[in-house]
PDB file of all heavy atoms in Angstrom:
ATOM      1  N   ARG A 501      14.726  13.134  45.423  1.00 88.00           N
ATOM      2  CA  ARG A 501      14.719  11.821  46.052  1.00 88.00           C
ATOM      3  C   ARG A 501      13.403  11.533  46.778  1.00 88.00           C
ATOM      4  O   ARG A 501      12.989  10.394  46.942  1.00 88.00           O
ATOM      5  CB  ARG A 501      15.884  11.703  47.055  1.00 88.00           C
ATOM      6  CG  ARG A 501      15.877  12.744  48.149  1.00 88.00           C
ATOM      7  CD  ARG A 501      17.202  12.825  48.881  1.00 88.00           C
ATOM      8  NE  ARG A 501      17.230  13.960  49.780  1.00 88.00           N
ATOM      9  CZ  ARG A 501      16.929  13.906  51.078  1.00 88.00           C
ATOM     10  NH1 ARG A 501      16.629  12.756  51.642  1.00 88.00           N
ATOM     11  NH2 ARG A 501      16.994  14.993  51.824  1.00 88.00           N
ATOM     12  N   GLY A 502      12.674  12.594  47.165  1.00 88.00           N
ATOM     13  CA  GLY A 502      11.378  12.400  47.755  1.00 88.00           C
ATOM     14  C   GLY A 502      10.330  12.041  46.776  1.00 88.00           C
ATOM     15  O   GLY A 502       9.274  11.446  47.152  1.00 88.00           O
ATOM     16  N   MET A 503      10.531  12.316  45.489  1.00 87.00           N
ATOM     17  CA  MET A 503       9.574  11.999  44.444  1.00 87.00           C
ATOM     18  C   MET A 503       9.772  10.601  43.894  1.00 87.00           C
ATOM     19  O   MET A 503       8.928  10.091  43.164  1.00 87.00           O
ATOM     20  CB  MET A 503       9.645  13.017  43.308  1.00 87.00           C
ATOM     21  CG  MET A 503       9.226  14.399  43.692  1.00 87.00           C
ATOM     22  SD  MET A 503       7.527  14.476  44.312  1.00 87.00           S
ATOM     23  CE  MET A 503       6.609  13.963  42.865  1.00 87.00           C
ATOM     24  N   LEU A 504      10.897   9.953  44.232  1.00 83.00           N
ATOM     25  CA  LEU A 504      11.149   8.580  43.709  1.00 83.00           C
ATOM     26  C   LEU A 504      10.084   7.634  44.296  1.00 83.00           C
ATOM     27  O   LEU A 504       9.951   7.501  45.506  1.00 83.00           O
ATOM     28  CB  LEU A 504      12.551   8.127  44.085  1.00 83.00           C
ATOM     29  CG  LEU A 504      13.698   8.874  43.440  1.00 83.00           C
ATOM     30  CD1 LEU A 504      15.063   8.358  43.936  1.00 83.00           C
ATOM     31  CD2 LEU A 504      13.644   8.791  41.935  1.00 83.00           C
ATOM     32  N   GLY A 505       9.346   7.003  43.465  1.00 78.00           N
ATOM     33  CA  GLY A 505       8.338   6.052  43.875  1.00 78.00           C
ATOM     34  C   GLY A 505       7.044   6.675  44.357  1.00 78.00           C
ATOM     35  O   GLY A 505       6.157   5.936  44.814  1.00 78.00           O
ATOM     36  N   TYR A 506       6.906   7.994  44.270  1.00 84.00           N
ATOM     37  CA  TYR A 506       5.709   8.627  44.789  1.00 84.00           C
ATOM     38  C   TYR A 506       4.509   8.556  43.866  1.00 84.00           C
ATOM     39  O   TYR A 506       3.370   8.560  44.309  1.00 84.00           O
ATOM     40  CB  TYR A 506       5.978  10.099  45.175  1.00 84.00           C
ATOM     41  CG  TYR A 506       4.737  10.802  45.619  1.00 84.00           C
ATOM     42  CD1 TYR A 506       4.148  10.530  46.866  1.00 84.00           C
ATOM     43  CD2 TYR A 506       4.116  11.763  44.810  1.00 84.00           C
ATOM     44  CE1 TYR A 506       2.987  11.157  47.272  1.00 84.00           C
ATOM     45  CE2 TYR A 506       2.954  12.432  45.209  1.00 84.00           C
ATOM     46  CZ  TYR A 506       2.381  12.096  46.439  1.00 84.00           C
ATOM     47  OH  TYR A 506       1.249  12.746  46.833  1.00 84.00           O
ATOM     48  N   ARG A 507       4.754   8.449  42.561  1.00 81.00           N
ATOM     49  CA  ARG A 507       3.635   8.538  41.613  1.00 81.00           C
ATOM     50  C   ARG A 507       2.590   7.444  41.896  1.00 81.00           C
ATOM     51  O   ARG A 507       1.387   7.741  41.858  1.00 81.00           O
ATOM     52  CB  ARG A 507       4.149   8.456  40.214  1.00 81.00           C
ATOM     53  CG  ARG A 507       3.098   8.748  39.116  1.00 81.00           C
ATOM     54  CD  ARG A 507       3.710   8.825  37.755  1.00 81.00           C
ATOM     55  NE  ARG A 507       4.584   9.964  37.607  1.00 81.00           N
ATOM     56  CZ  ARG A 507       4.165  11.154  37.250  1.00 81.00           C
ATOM     57  NH1 ARG A 507       2.860  11.385  36.998  1.00 81.00           N
ATOM     58  NH2 ARG A 507       5.015  12.162  37.100  1.00 81.00           N
ATOM     59  N   SER A 508       3.026   6.210  42.152  1.00 76.00           N
ATOM     60  CA  SER A 508       2.028   5.146  42.423  1.00 76.00           C
ATOM     61  C   SER A 508       1.307   5.414  43.732  1.00 76.00           C
ATOM     62  O   SER A 508       0.117   5.131  43.844  1.00 76.00           O
ATOM     63  CB  SER A 508       2.739   3.793  42.465  1.00 76.00           C
ATOM     64  OG  SER A 508       3.735   3.774  43.479  1.00 76.00           O
ATOM     65  N   VAL A 509       2.029   5.964  44.722  1.00 83.00           N
ATOM     66  CA  VAL A 509       1.371   6.334  45.994  1.00 83.00           C
ATOM     67  C   VAL A 509       0.327   7.405  45.754  1.00 83.00           C
ATOM     68  O   VAL A 509      -0.778   7.373  46.304  1.00 83.00           O
ATOM     69  CB  VAL A 509       2.412   6.786  47.019  1.00 83.00           C
ATOM     70  CG1 VAL A 509       1.751   7.277  48.313  1.00 83.00           C
ATOM     71  CG2 VAL A 509       3.411   5.666  47.331  1.00 83.00           C
ATOM     72  N   PHE A 510       0.663   8.376  44.930  1.00 88.00           N
ATOM     73  CA  PHE A 510      -0.257   9.471  44.595  1.00 88.00           C
ATOM     74  C   PHE A 510      -1.514   8.973  43.923  1.00 88.00           C
ATOM     75  O   PHE A 510      -2.654   9.391  44.296  1.00 88.00           O
ATOM     76  CB  PHE A 510       0.444  10.481  43.698  1.00 88.00           C
ATOM     77  CG  PHE A 510      -0.428  11.568  43.176  1.00 88.00           C
ATOM     78  CD1 PHE A 510      -0.864  12.603  43.969  1.00 88.00           C
ATOM     79  CD2 PHE A 510      -0.839  11.543  41.819  1.00 88.00           C
ATOM     80  CE1 PHE A 510      -1.684  13.616  43.468  1.00 88.00           C
ATOM     81  CE2 PHE A 510      -1.665  12.525  41.305  1.00 88.00           C
ATOM     82  CZ  PHE A 510      -2.088  13.573  42.149  1.00 88.00           C
ATOM     83  N   HIS A 511      -1.394   8.065  42.967  1.00 84.00           N
ATOM     84  CA  HIS A 511      -2.590   7.541  42.280  1.00 84.00           C
ATOM     85  C   HIS A 511      -3.455   6.765  43.253  1.00 84.00           C
ATOM     86  O   HIS A 511      -4.660   6.771  43.132  1.00 84.00           O
ATOM     87  CB  HIS A 511      -2.140   6.669  41.113  1.00 84.00           C
ATOM     88  CG  HIS A 511      -1.582   7.437  39.964  1.00 84.00           C
ATOM     89  ND1 HIS A 511      -2.106   8.618  39.525  1.00 84.00           N
ATOM     90  CD2 HIS A 511      -0.461   7.219  39.186  1.00 84.00           C
ATOM     91  CE1 HIS A 511      -1.400   9.103  38.494  1.00 84.00           C
ATOM     92  NE2 HIS A 511      -0.392   8.264  38.284  1.00 84.00           N
ATOM     93  N   THR A 512      -2.865   6.065  44.228  1.00 83.00           N
ATOM     94  CA  THR A 512      -3.636   5.341  45.216  1.00 83.00           C
ATOM     95  C   THR A 512      -4.351   6.314  46.148  1.00 83.00           C
ATOM     96  O   THR A 512      -5.560   6.148  46.427  1.00 83.00           O
ATOM     97  CB  THR A 512      -2.736   4.432  46.040  1.00 83.00           C
ATOM     98  OG1 THR A 512      -2.063   3.474  45.151  1.00 83.00           O
ATOM     99  CG2 THR A 512      -3.514   3.658  47.071  1.00 83.00           C
ATOM    100  N   ASP A 513      -3.673   7.331  46.608  1.00 88.00           N
ATOM    101  CA  ASP A 513      -4.272   8.303  47.553  1.00 88.00           C
ATOM    102  C   ASP A 513      -5.417   9.075  46.902  1.00 88.00           C
ATOM    103  O   ASP A 513      -6.385   9.457  47.575  1.00 88.00           O
ATOM    104  CB  ASP A 513      -3.191   9.287  48.072  1.00 88.00           C
ATOM    105  CG  ASP A 513      -2.243   8.601  49.015  1.00 88.00           C
ATOM    106  OD1 ASP A 513      -2.557   7.521  49.541  1.00 88.00           O
ATOM    107  OD2 ASP A 513      -1.150   9.161  49.272  1.00 88.00           O
ATOM    108  N   THR A 514      -5.307   9.360  45.602  1.00 90.00           N
ATOM    109  CA  THR A 514      -6.342  10.166  44.938  1.00 90.00           C
ATOM    110  C   THR A 514      -7.331   9.317  44.157  1.00 90.00           C
ATOM    111  O   THR A 514      -8.121   9.831  43.386  1.00 90.00           O
ATOM    112  CB  THR A 514      -5.668  11.186  43.966  1.00 90.00           C
ATOM    113  OG1 THR A 514      -4.911  10.483  42.986  1.00 90.00           O
ATOM    114  CG2 THR A 514      -4.773  12.126  44.726  1.00 90.00           C
ATOM    115  N   ARG A 515      -7.239   8.039  44.326  1.00 87.00           N
ATOM    116  CA  ARG A 515      -8.135   7.042  43.639  1.00 87.00           C
ATOM    117  C   ARG A 515      -8.079   7.199  42.124  1.00 87.00           C
ATOM    118  O   ARG A 515      -9.084   7.039  41.417  1.00 87.00           O
ATOM    119  CB  ARG A 515      -9.594   7.228  44.110  1.00 87.00           C
ATOM    120  CG  ARG A 515      -9.803   7.133  45.617  1.00 87.00           C
ATOM    121  CD  ARG A 515      -9.393   5.773  46.175  1.00 87.00           C
ATOM    122  NE  ARG A 515      -9.765   5.665  47.588  1.00 87.00           N
ATOM    123  CZ  ARG A 515      -8.981   5.959  48.587  1.00 87.00           C
ATOM    124  NH1 ARG A 515      -7.752   6.474  48.381  1.00 87.00           N
ATOM    125  NH2 ARG A 515      -9.376   5.832  49.826  1.00 87.00           N
ATOM    126  N   GLY A 516      -6.915   7.563  41.640  1.00 83.00           N
ATOM    127  CA  GLY A 516      -6.709   7.730  40.195  1.00 83.00           C
ATOM    128  C   GLY A 516      -7.281   8.952  39.564  1.00 83.00           C
ATOM    129  O   GLY A 516      -7.245   9.099  38.325  1.00 83.00           O
ATOM    130  N   THR A 517      -7.744   9.926  40.354  1.00 86.00           N
ATOM    131  CA  THR A 517      -8.364  11.140  39.820  1.00 86.00           C
ATOM    132  C   THR A 517      -7.422  12.348  39.859  1.00 86.00           C
ATOM    133  O   THR A 517      -7.764  13.405  39.349  1.00 86.00           O
ATOM    134  CB  THR A 517      -9.637  11.486  40.618  1.00 86.00           C
ATOM    135  OG1 THR A 517      -9.281  11.743  41.967  1.00 86.00           O
ATOM    136  CG2 THR A 517     -10.637  10.333  40.565  1.00 86.00           C
ATOM    137  N   GLY A 518      -6.241  12.207  40.460  1.00 87.00           N
ATOM    138  CA  GLY A 518      -5.329  13.333  40.591  1.00 87.00           C
ATOM    139  C   GLY A 518      -4.445  13.476  39.368  1.00 87.00           C
ATOM    140  O   GLY A 518      -4.219  12.588  38.596  1.00 87.00           O
ATOM    141  N   ILE A 519      -3.930  14.727  39.190  1.00 85.00           N
ATOM    142  CA  ILE A 519      -2.977  15.080  38.094  1.00 85.00           C
ATOM    143  C   ILE A 519      -1.717  15.589  38.757  1.00 85.00           C
ATOM    144  O   ILE A 519      -1.765  16.476  39.601  1.00 85.00           O
ATOM    145  CB  ILE A 519      -3.588  16.125  37.172  1.00 85.00           C
ATOM    146  CG1 ILE A 519      -4.878  15.646  36.527  1.00 85.00           C
ATOM    147  CG2 ILE A 519      -2.597  16.512  36.116  1.00 85.00           C
ATOM    148  CD1 ILE A 519      -5.614  16.677  35.721  1.00 85.00           C
ATOM    149  N   LEU A 520      -0.584  14.995  38.400  1.00 86.00           N
ATOM    150  CA  LEU A 520       0.710  15.381  38.992  1.00 86.00           C
ATOM    151  C   LEU A 520       1.689  15.704  37.898  1.00 86.00           C
ATOM    152  O   LEU A 520       1.859  14.915  36.962  1.00 86.00           O
ATOM    153  CB  LEU A 520       1.216  14.246  39.871  1.00 86.00           C
ATOM    154  CG  LEU A 520       2.541  14.459  40.622  1.00 86.00           C
ATOM    155  CD1 LEU A 520       2.566  13.668  41.931  1.00 86.00           C
ATOM    156  CD2 LEU A 520       3.751  14.049  39.796  1.00 86.00           C
ATOM    157  N   THR A 521       2.327  16.885  37.982  1.00 82.00           N
ATOM    158  CA  THR A 521       3.367  17.251  37.073  1.00 82.00           C
ATOM    159  C   THR A 521       4.557  17.750  37.872  1.00 82.00           C
ATOM    160  O   THR A 521       4.370  18.339  38.960  1.00 82.00           O
ATOM    161  CB  THR A 521       2.931  18.336  36.084  1.00 82.00           C
ATOM    162  OG1 THR A 521       2.506  19.517  36.840  1.00 82.00           O
ATOM    163  CG2 THR A 521       1.765  17.857  35.201  1.00 82.00           C
ATOM    164  N   ARG A 522       5.761  17.521  37.362  1.00 82.00           N
ATOM    165  CA  ARG A 522       6.972  17.892  38.091  1.00 82.00           C
ATOM    166  C   ARG A 522       8.010  18.408  37.122  1.00 82.00           C
ATOM    167  O   ARG A 522       8.058  18.024  35.990  1.00 82.00           O
ATOM    168  CB  ARG A 522       7.505  16.709  38.893  1.00 82.00           C
ATOM    169  CG  ARG A 522       7.523  15.432  38.084  1.00 82.00           C
ATOM    170  CD  ARG A 522       7.808  14.189  38.927  1.00 82.00           C
ATOM    171  NE  ARG A 522       9.171  14.066  39.319  1.00 82.00           N
ATOM    172  CZ  ARG A 522       9.722  12.918  39.695  1.00 82.00           C
ATOM    173  NH1 ARG A 522       9.041  11.846  39.714  1.00 82.00           N
ATOM    174  NH2 ARG A 522      11.017  12.901  40.016  1.00 82.00           N
ATOM    175  N   LEU A 523       8.879  19.298  37.663  1.00 80.00           N
ATOM    176  CA  LEU A 523       9.931  19.903  36.833  1.00 80.00           C
ATOM    177  C   LEU A 523      11.079  20.296  37.709  1.00 80.00           C
ATOM    178  O   LEU A 523      10.899  20.808  38.855  1.00 80.00           O
ATOM    179  CB  LEU A 523       9.354  21.151  36.133  1.00 80.00           C
ATOM    180  CG  LEU A 523      10.319  21.926  35.228  1.00 80.00           C
ATOM    181  CD1 LEU A 523      10.685  21.095  34.017  1.00 80.00           C
ATOM    182  CD2 LEU A 523       9.705  23.250  34.788  1.00 80.00           C
ATOM    183  N   TYR A 524      12.283  20.027  37.217  1.00 81.00           N
ATOM    184  CA  TYR A 524      13.491  20.392  37.988  1.00 81.00           C
ATOM    185  C   TYR A 524      13.510  21.903  38.203  1.00 81.00           C
ATOM    186  O   TYR A 524      13.293  22.724  37.287  1.00 81.00           O
ATOM    187  CB  TYR A 524      14.729  19.991  37.202  1.00 81.00           C
ATOM    188  CG  TYR A 524      16.020  20.585  37.740  1.00 81.00           C
ATOM    189  CD1 TYR A 524      16.601  20.115  38.899  1.00 81.00           C
ATOM    190  CD2 TYR A 524      16.632  21.650  37.079  1.00 81.00           C
ATOM    191  CE1 TYR A 524      17.778  20.681  39.422  1.00 81.00           C
ATOM    192  CE2 TYR A 524      17.798  22.194  37.563  1.00 81.00           C
ATOM    193  CZ  TYR A 524      18.361  21.707  38.727  1.00 81.00           C
ATOM    194  OH  TYR A 524      19.524  22.296  39.233  1.00 81.00           O
ATOM    195  N   LEU A 525      13.761  22.324  39.451  1.00 83.00           N
ATOM    196  CA  LEU A 525      13.765  23.732  39.813  1.00 83.00           C
ATOM    197  C   LEU A 525      15.179  24.227  40.014  1.00 83.00           C
ATOM    198  O   LEU A 525      15.637  25.149  39.308  1.00 83.00           O
ATOM    199  CB  LEU A 525      12.928  23.937  41.079  1.00 83.00           C
ATOM    200  CG  LEU A 525      12.811  25.361  41.591  1.00 83.00           C
ATOM    201  CD1 LEU A 525      12.016  26.213  40.617  1.00 83.00           C
ATOM    202  CD2 LEU A 525      12.103  25.375  42.976  1.00 83.00           C
TER     203      LEU A 525
END
Side-chain angles (χ1 to χ4, degrees):
R501 58 193 170 96
M503 294 301 297
L504 295 177
Y506 175 70
R507 189 173 292 273
S508 60
V509 175
F510 172 75
H511 289 317
T512 301
D513 289 342
T514 60
R515 305 299 187 270
T517 62
I519 300 173
L520 183 149
T521 58
R522 45 192 284 202
L523 179 67
Y524 168 75
L525 182 65

